[in-house]
Amino acid sequence: RNALFCLETAANQEENHVYTKALLAYAFALAGNREKRKALLDSLDKEAVRKDGSVHWQRPGKEPEADLPFHRSRAPSAEVEMTAYVLLAHLTSQPAPAQEELSSASLIAKWISSQQNPNGGFSSTQ
């Protein structure tokens, strides 16, 4: 109970980093707090990067990547991790995720799968 109170206090802060919001959304999904989960996912949706039919999150103030032909750079591990937490928050809902959430989740999963290295792993160890 005290841990959830602490998380609720953190979630109510005005300026939360996108990574913090992603973790909080997943934590509230696991705790079954639908209202907080939805509020955080709605906030995260406003900060999402939509590109090439996929969705992901990146650190605020990050320099835009050069759009070079035949070159695709991989995102830093923190961006893979926070995007994965948002995906988990979408898929961890009670009752089961609605069709709209599954559609959003598929766009997120598309980006995450594009971050795999040639061996099938990721830059992150999470």
Side-chain angles (χ1 to χ4, degrees):
R1 192 172 55 199
N2 288 343
L4 283 175
F5 177 76
C6 179
L7 292 176
E8 287 176 12
T9 302
N12 291 331
Q13 291 182 359
E14 288 292 317
E15 292 295 320
N16 270 327
H17 189 279
V18 67
Y19 193 99
T20 303
K21 289 180 191 177
L23 285 171
L24 286 169
Y26 183 46
F28 286 119
L30 290 172
N33 188 331
R34 289 185 234 162
E35 291 175 17
K36 286 283 186 191
R37 175 187 159 272
K38 180 165 178 11
L40 287 159
L41 288 175
D42 288 346
S43 175
L44 284 162
D45 190 55
K46 294 173 187 170
E47 298 181 66
V49 176
R50 290 166 173 77
K51 185 177 176 184
D52 299 329
S54 67
V55 177
H56 70 281
W57 285 262
Q58 62 188 28
R59 296 163 296 169
K62 180 183 175 188
E63 293 291 320
E65 295 175 7
D67 199 14
L68 302 172
F70 309 112
H71 175 66
R72 192 190 68 177
S73 61
R74 299 207 197 302
S77 62
E79 293 176 13
V80 175
E81 290 170 23
M82 73 177 126
T83 299
Y85 281 122
V86 176
L87 176 61
L88 286 168
H90 273 285
L91 296 177
T92 307
S93 66
Q94 300 299 329
Q99 185 60 43
E100 179 183 323
E101 286 197 292
L102 291 175
S103 296
S104 296
S106 69
L107 298 176
I108 298 168
K110 180 180 177 182
W111 183 83
I112 291 173
S113 66
S114 75
Q115 298 304 306
Q116 287 183 288
N117 64 33
N119 298 321
F122 295 90
S123 59
S124 170
T125 58
Q126 291 282 345

